[in-house]
Amino acid sequence: MITGDTRLSLAGQKTLLNEWVANTHSDQIASREAMQPAQFITELAYISIMEKVDADVYFRFSGSEIRRMLGREAKGHRLVQFPRLANSKSGIPAVRSAFRNTQPVSGTEELPGNIVHFWLRLPVMDKDGKVTQLICHDRLLEHSMLEVEAPEYELRRRVNKAA
């Protein structure tokens, strides 16, 4: 997990981060309203919006690939209701970091089954100017798709070839 990292491997995450940066000013981060979905429309399937309400974090929106990844609709549910996500690097630790530092948080996690989870958490202001929401981008890629979709990414696991 790297806070404020702009070295992203996926083009869609770069596009989303660029939109966030374009709407962030020296003393104020981007507001949710300023983010223009038309700028990242091809990524909407991989996007969710989380909102902090008191001590809980709720999904306010979840794209079709997020629903597929989680196995069900996430909208209206608390993050902790998805234990596999909540307990991963991209879950509660990343969400807390993004809210606390009001900076983008991104990372990757290599999962069983030759899959890599690419994730990004972008804090945004609500209508009242408070940072209560995150725009999140999550994408699972099989190793066979890495060369095409994330050519800059290097697997941490090394595959040993038999002689």
Side-chain angles (χ1 to χ4, degrees):
M1 176 170 50
I2 303 169
T3 302
D5 187 14
T6 57
R7 296 172 296 151
L8 299 171
S9 297
L10 297 178
Q13 289 183 344
K14 290 176 186 177
T15 299
L16 186 60
L17 180 61
N18 287 339
E19 178 67 8
W20 185 87
V21 168
N23 287 290
T24 294
H25 308 290
S26 60
D27 61 336
Q28 244 180 4
I29 65 167
S31 68
R32 182 174 165 195
E33 284 72 32
M35 298 289 287
Q36 298 296 314
Q39 299 299 319
F40 49 90
I41 197 160
T42 59
E43 298 304 307
L44 290 178
Y46 307 105
I47 290 178
S48 62
I49 296 174
M50 292 187 195
E51 182 172 26
K52 182 172 58 171
V53 179
D54 298 322
D56 281 322
V57 176
Y58 290 85
F59 283 90
R60 293 299 180 215
F61 171 83
S62 62
S64 59
E65 288 298 314
I66 302 301
R67 292 189 298 269
R68 188 176 69 76
M69 184 176 92
L70 296 174
R72 65 183 168 121
E73 174 62 66
K75 182 179 178 183
H77 294 284
R78 296 175 14 219
L79 175 59
V80 296
Q81 291 177 279
F82 300 92
R84 204 170 95 208
L85 174 61
N87 296 321
S88 71
K89 293 188 310 183
S90 62
I92 293 170
V95 167
R96 283 185 180 151
S97 179
F99 279 128
R100 182 178 54 252
N101 299 315
T102 63
Q103 289 293 312
V105 180
S106 65
T108 59
E109 187 171 3
E110 293 182 22
L111 304 173
N114 294 325
I115 294 175
V116 180
H117 178 197
F118 293 85
W119 54 271
L120 173 65
R121 307 288 176 255
L122 297 173
V124 290
M125 291 188 309
D126 61 19
K127 291 178 182 178
D128 297 325
K130 295 179 181 159
V131 180
T132 58
Q133 300 177 335
L134 300 177
I135 296 178
C136 305
H137 187 290
D138 291 84
R139 186 151 180 212
L140 300 177
L141 282 178
E142 293 179 9
H143 288 186
S144 62
M145 294 302 295
L146 290 174
E147 190 174 325
V148 174
E149 297 287 339
E152 299 161 9
Y153 181 76
E154 291 184 27
L155 283 171
R156 288 180 185 86
R157 290 186 207 139
R158 299 291 178 228
V159 177
N160 295 323
K161 295 184 180 182

